[in-house]
């Protein structure tokens, strides 16, 4: 099937700045931004609130049928709606962060989210960030970026982000959470985090957001000029 829309897939470890870059790209190119991690976070929040036992497949399947996630684009961000409730702030809290990787390993959860993500990219120009976008969700994406940054830089970024939101966290706790998530995300059976063969690696440890944006915009230009 020939696609007329342009798809940019951005994958990488947690707190690499994927969403910041994806948001800036979407704004610059007038694309729709989809934060796929936010979808897994919304599912995790629902499971936590409803005390869903994630080892019970029937309970998980039943819960998935009751979950409706909507992503509403705002001028500078997206609003994450869980069954019509705005959960954008709540899904970023540590309680969700510490459970989301486990929830994301569940096959049924991934199948439901991937189907919804594919649908979002059917007709629109989109930039989607996550872990398996270039490998599983859109293996035929027009441009695939794989982002990395040093663990120290990532932990420091996350710390600043959470402190700015008023959360009481310490660097060591964040480092541990990131290492734990990296491990689960890249070793799980279902579509683990890995670099697609045709992805361009972007190590942004020493790059400003503007430099990263410029780099990717240039790649888009090259592809469009082909
Ligand atoms: O990007 P993030 O940190 O908000 O993502 C939260 C979690 O969701 C992450 O630990 C792994 C999972 N995730 C995933 O499994 N697949 C995706 N495409 C996006 C996120």
């Amino acid at each position: 099937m020939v696609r007329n829309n342009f798809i940019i897939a951005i994958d990488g470890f947690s707190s690499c700045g994927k969403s910041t870059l994806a948001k800036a790209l979407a704004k610059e190119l007038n694309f729709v931004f989809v934060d796929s991690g936010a979808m897994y976070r919304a599912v995790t929040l629902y499971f936590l609130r409803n005390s869903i036992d994630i080892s019970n497949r029937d309970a998980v399947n039943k819960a998935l049928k009751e979950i409706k996630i909507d992503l509403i684009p705002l001028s500078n961000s997206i609003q994450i709606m869980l069954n019509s409730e705005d959960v954008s702030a709540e899904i970023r809290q540590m309680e969700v962060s510490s459970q989301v990787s486990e929830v994301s390993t569940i096959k049924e959860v991934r199948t439901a989210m991937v189907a919804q993500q594919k649908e979002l990219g059917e007709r629109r120009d989109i930039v989607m960030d996550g872990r398996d976008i270039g490998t599983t969700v859109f293996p035929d994406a027009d441009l695939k970026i794989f982002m990395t940054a040093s663990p120290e830089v990532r932990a420091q970024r996350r710390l600043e982000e959470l402190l700015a939101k008023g959360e009481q966290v310490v660097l060591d706790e964040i480092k541990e959470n990131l290492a734990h998530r990296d491990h689960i995300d890249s070793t799980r059976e279902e579509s683990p985090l890995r670099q697609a063969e045709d992805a361009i690696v972007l190590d942004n440890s020493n790059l400003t957001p503007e430099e990263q944006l410029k780099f990717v915009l240039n790649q888009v230009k090259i592809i469009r000029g082909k």
Side-chain angles (χ1 to χ4, degrees):
M1 193 184 77
V2 181
R3 260 196 301 106
N4 291 319
N5 55 328
F6 199 100
I7 296 179
I8 304 176
I10 302 183
D11 290 303
F13 294 104
S14 305
S15 294
C16 269
K18 298 184 300 294
S19 298
T20 306
L21 174 63
K23 236 181 270 175
L25 279 168
K27 198 171 174 196
E28 190 70 27
L29 295 165
N30 203 17
F31 280 22
V32 172
F33 161 52
V34 181
D35 177 352
S36 70
M39 299 169 73
Y40 290 96
R41 285 172 179 273
V43 171
T44 304
L45 179 64
Y46 183 93
F47 285 5
L48 283 169
R49 280 181 176 177
N50 294 281
S51 309
I52 305 297
D53 171 7
I54 60 170
S55 61
N56 179 340
R57 293 295 129 132
D58 288 341
V60 166
N61 281 326
K62 187 168 170 279
L64 282 171
K65 287 198 187 94
E66 289 159 6
I67 297 176
K68 186 173 184 296
I69 298 170
D70 291 299
L71 306 178
I72 302 174
L74 302 177
S75 61
N76 263 323
S77 57
I78 49 168
Q79 207 171 31
I80 317 299
M81 309 295 288
L82 171 59
N83 295 335
S84 306
E85 176 193 345
D86 180 4
V87 293
S88 314
E90 210 172 331
I91 58 166
R92 304 284 161 202
Q93 289 173 353
M94 258 321 220
E95 199 193 355
V96 173
S97 296
S98 59
Q99 298 296 320
V100 63
S101 279
E102 262 86 6
V103 170
S104 310
T105 62
I106 303 170
K107 189 171 190 270
E108 290 80 359
V109 170
R110 301 209 71 81
T111 304
M113 293 304 108
V114 170
Q116 204 173 332
Q117 289 153 9
K118 282 184 193 255
E119 219 179 284
L120 287 167
E122 249 166 33
R123 279 172 297 276
R124 282 160 290 207
D125 293 330
I126 64 162
V127 48
M128 188 178 289
D129 79 307
R131 305 293 187 288
D132 60 341
I133 311 305
T135 52
T136 305
V137 183
F138 298 120
D140 68 338
D142 300 273
L143 174 61
K144 299 178 187 177
I145 303 287
F146 190 83
M147 286 178 78
T148 62
S150 75
E152 288 73 28
V153 168
R154 291 163 55 207
Q156 192 59 41
R157 283 182 189 152
R158 188 62 129 203
L159 178 72
E160 283 161 21
E161 212 176 280
L162 291 172
L163 289 179
K165 284 180 190 154
E167 276 213 43
Q168 302 287 324
V169 281
V170 289
L171 192 60
D172 280 349
E173 188 187 358
I174 293 177
K175 272 190 181 157
E176 234 167 71
N177 174 255
L178 288 181
H180 178 64
R181 286 209 279 154
D182 285 356
H183 178 73
I184 298 180
D185 293 350
S186 45
T187 56
R188 69 178 174 226
E189 225 167 273
E190 290 295 320
S191 56
L193 165 67
R194 65 178 172 80
Q195 185 190 326
E197 269 174 29
D198 50 350
I200 297 169
V201 177
L202 175 60
D203 182 336
N204 69 6
S205 304
N206 298 305
L207 294 178
T208 64
E210 292 73 29
E211 288 168 331
Q212 297 167 49
L213 177 63
K214 203 169 151 200
F215 174 84
V216 182
L217 285 175
N218 196 40
Q219 299 296 327
V220 173
K221 215 161 141 191
I222 294 169
I223 293 168
R224 280 183 157 165
K226 270 182 192 166

